[in-house]
Amino acid sequence: MTFNTASFLTQIAVLILALAAAHKPLGLYLARVFEDTTSTRPERLFYRLAGVDAGTEQTWPVYLRSVLAFSAVSILAVFGLQRLQGVLPGAGSLPGVDPWVAMNTAISFVTNTNWQTYVPETTVGIFVQMSLLAVQNFLSAAVGIVVAVALIRGIARTRTDRLGNFWVDLARTSFRVLLPLAAAAAVVLVIGGVVQNFWSTDVTNQATGISQTIPGGPVASQEAIKILGTNGGGYFNANSAHPLENPNVFISLFQVFLLLLIPSALPYAYGRMVGDRKQGYTVAAVMGALWLASVSLMGWAVATAQGTATAATGGLGEGFEQRFGAATSAIFAASTTLTSTGAVNVAHDSLPPLAGGLAMVNMMLGEVAPGGTGSGLYGMLILSIIAVFIAGLMVGRTPEYLGKKIGPKQMKLAALYILVTPTLVLALAGITVLLPDIMANAPATGPHQFSEVLYAFTSGANNNGSAFGGITTSGPFLSVMMGLAMLLGRFLPIVLVLALAGSLARQAKVPASAGTVPTHGALFGSLLLGVTVILTALSYFPALALGPLAEGLLK
């Protein structure tokens, strides 16, 4: 398989043009959705059934409790119904899901991670796929978006302790944003050849006489929100490398467009909601620069490895989907790890060492380029606050961000946010590598074995969900460890983000002066870019040196 540079550059250009065209219209629509004071009929029905007073806004502790309570109930419901699968409709002959797998899956889908320790075709039936996993694809994506919106309100509002109403924001995101976009995307996927039915098909090879059953199901409808909501859990075990999920290059590129769509449009909504569009453009530009750099480096790493591979070693054939080619796979691999998607159309374990290391770095950046639905934006805004604090120290004055003073309390919350994920990744990976029996779950040897474990916890704590193929977490120890990584990696940052939003909302705005550091434009954008890269390097470089970098030097 050869790396087609012309195809690579053409696909990047098409993606940039398509995302640029959607940036303002979708961003404007998102801002209007969250600034609207009216409710649609489905939303009013939801409020009545849930007993929600749509006119009452919440303080940050109440907003947080709503997020946590909703997520806890979701985990228990998904776990319990998986265990009862054998008596539920649509299961066929499938029994209830193993308790450790059910626990891991429930946490995984509710936290927007979609780490899959099971083979979907032989483990879960249509009811579980449609009524549990697909529903959580909508709801977990919506939770990320509403937390970002709450932070925007905290920045934009003054002298208040109210950040909105979680239940209202959740309903609006689900009914007005995710459902219509997913429905439109599913139609495109069906037209492009993705399966959408409720039955399997028996086929017989006329030459050999061997019969087999090809599983079917409502794949397109689940695929749409799996990608759009940056979820990533596949209907089939091969995920987006499966021909019934991703039949051709057009659909593969369309999936990359979908996973970047909402995260890349949210910065415009941010600029609109804070009353300064330049702020949104600066954030979007930094996200775009990081994405373009990562995709370019991924293409270079794959192309270089392809050029040095020999026929005796199989070249880049193993683990790469031949229908797409190396260029398409490189774009998909970079984009899915820069967001919290984790869907794959190439086995990441088969990526060349430097390309596999880059996939890890993408997640270690905090998935802010452009990141997950909502989580990418609030992660970048936290980095913006750190960047403006550093800039304030340079000019010798109290830093301000859009008229809000960044004092000790705000910096403590921002610093804790930055430290949470690296601490989880390094601590949990470090504990795991000290246990030989557990390390046997990663069957590789040498630096690549460490890379498999490091990748797993990086993916889990950053709520990505992709994996190096050698490791399995279906046993009790790794199921619990990955569960902790996913839970704490999702909800500890949300606690800190909402606390920060509450502290900012209570402040009065400080008028800009000659000494105020502008938080838009090329200069601040460059500072924000540098802070993002440097913080990642300081946190993770030693671990990367023991894994993918060492492996690359040994090749």
Side-chain angles (χ1 to χ4, degrees):
M1 176 172 45
T2 59
F3 187 92
N4 190 321
T5 303
S7 173
F8 180 71
L9 296 175
T10 300
Q11 290 181 61
I12 291 176
V14 168
L15 280 171
I16 291 174
L17 290 173
L19 292 168
H23 177 75
K24 181 177 179 179
L26 181 57
L28 181 61
Y29 176 72
L30 290 169
R32 287 175 175 171
V33 165
F34 294 109
E35 291 175 335
D36 193 7
T37 57
T38 62
S39 300
T40 64
R41 184 174 297 176
E43 291 166 3
R44 289 194 295 271
L45 176 61
F46 168 75
Y47 301 148
R48 284 198 297 271
L49 293 175
V52 172
D53 181 1
T56 301
E57 293 202 348
Q58 299 170 322
T59 61
W60 81 261
V62 178
Y63 202 103
L64 174 62
R65 287 199 295 270
S66 299
V67 172
L68 297 179
F70 176 72
S71 299
V73 170
S74 298
I75 289 172
L76 292 174
V78 175
F79 172 80
L81 290 173
Q82 284 182 93
R83 296 289 292 136
L84 295 172
Q85 176 177 243
V87 299
L88 295 175
S93 59
L94 294 174
V97 179
D98 173 84
W100 293 109
V101 173
M103 178 203 73
N104 198 278
T105 302
I107 293 172
S108 174
F109 276 77
V110 172
T111 58
N112 199 244
T113 310
N114 290 37
W115 175 275
Q116 293 176 288
T117 64
Y118 60 93
V119 177
E121 298 96 313
T122 60
T123 307
V124 292
I126 287 178
F127 177 85
V128 170
Q129 292 272 28
M130 287 184 61
S131 302
L132 299 181
L133 305 186
V135 169
Q136 286 306 316
N137 283 347
F138 281 96
L139 297 178
S140 65
V143 168
I145 293 173
V146 304
V147 171
V149 170
L151 178 57
I152 294 172
R153 291 187 183 127
I155 295 170
R157 295 180 176 183
T158 58
R159 297 185 181 279
T160 182
D161 61 351
R162 306 290 162 162
L163 297 178
N165 187 304
F166 167 75
W167 305 104
V168 172
D169 293 339
L170 183 73
R172 289 179 178 176
T173 304
S174 301
F175 290 126
R176 301 193 199 182
V177 179
L178 296 175
L179 274 170
L181 286 176
V187 171
V188 176
L189 292 173
V190 170
I191 294 172
V194 179
V195 169
Q196 181 76 10
N197 59 31
F198 292 93
W199 56 84
S200 299
T201 304
D202 294 323
V203 297
T204 301
N205 187 311
Q206 298 300 317
T208 64
I210 298 175
S211 298
Q212 67 177 115
T213 299
I214 298 177
V219 180
S221 56
Q222 184 161 325
E223 190 76 9
I225 189 59
K226 154 197 156 181
I227 298 295
L228 181 70
T230 62
N231 295 281
Y235 196 94
F236 299 107
N237 192 44
N239 208 285
S240 286
H242 197 290
L244 300 186
E245 280 195 43
N246 193 359
N248 50 58
V249 172
F250 166 74
I251 292 298
S252 185
L253 193 63
F254 181 65
Q255 290 189 9
V256 175
F257 168 76
L258 286 179
L259 64 87
L260 296 171
L261 180 60
I262 294 177
S264 66
L266 276 170
Y268 187 88
Y270 162 65
R272 171 91 179 192
M273 292 175 72
V274 298
D276 186 352
R277 296 179 188 177
K278 292 180 181 179
Q279 302 293 331
Y281 287 137
T282 300
V283 170
V286 174
M287 288 177 168
L290 287 168
W291 176 82
L292 185 59
S294 176
V295 171
S296 301
L297 287 171
M298 183 70 75
W300 169 80
V302 171
T304 301
Q306 186 273 331
T308 58
T310 65
T313 60
L316 289 179
E318 185 268 330
F320 280 76
E321 176 51 57
Q322 303 300 305
R323 293 174 298 120
F324 302 140
T328 302
S329 296
I331 294 172
F332 202 109
S335 299
T336 196
T337 49
L338 282 166
T339 61
S340 65
T341 311
V344 295
N345 76 351
V346 57
H348 286 193
D349 204 28
S350 298
L351 290 170
L354 293 181
L358 181 60
M360 273 191 263
V361 170
N362 288 342
M363 294 183 286
M364 291 169 176
L365 284 169
E367 295 177 329
V368 293
T373 49
S375 60
L377 178 61
Y378 64 66
M380 187 58 81
L381 294 181
I382 295 291
L383 289 167
S384 297
I385 288 171
I386 292 175
V388 80
F389 177 78
I390 294 172
L393 293 178
M394 291 178 179
V395 298
R397 59 175 288 141
T398 301
E400 302 162 10
Y401 188 68
L402 296 185
K404 302 294 181 72
K405 287 187 176 293
I406 307 301
K409 180 177 181 180
Q410 289 74 35
M411 276 311 301
K412 288 175 184 177
L413 292 170
L416 287 171
Y417 179 96
I418 295 300
L419 291 172
V420 164
T421 306
T423 301
L424 288 172
V425 171
L426 299 176
L428 295 176
I431 292 170
T432 302
V433 298
L434 294 176
L435 304 172
D437 291 342
I438 303 302
M439 285 297 289
N441 288 281
T445 58
H448 191 69
Q449 185 183 44
F450 177 73
S451 293
E452 289 182 344
V453 174
L454 180 63
Y455 192 107
F457 286 105
T458 301
S459 177
N462 284 281
N463 302 131
N464 182 269
S466 62
F468 273 4
I471 193 167
T472 175
T473 58
S474 56
F477 180 85
L478 283 177
S479 288
V480 171
M481 294 288 275
M482 283 297 296
L484 287 173
M486 292 184 287
L487 277 174
L488 298 178
R490 174 71 163 181
F491 294 114
L492 283 182
I494 285 177
V495 171
L496 298 168
V497 167
L498 291 176
L500 179 62
S503 72
L504 293 174
R506 284 191 292 270
Q507 293 187 29
K509 282 202 172 184
V510 178
S513 65
T516 300
V517 177
T519 53
H520 58 77
L523 181 61
F524 184 76
S526 300
L527 176 62
L528 177 55
L529 184 68
V531 166
T532 304
V533 174
I534 291 171
L535 285 176
T536 303
L538 291 175
S539 299
Y540 292 107
F541 182 78
L544 290 169
L546 295 173
L549 292 179
E551 187 181 355
L553 292 173
L554 293 174
K555 289 291 184 180

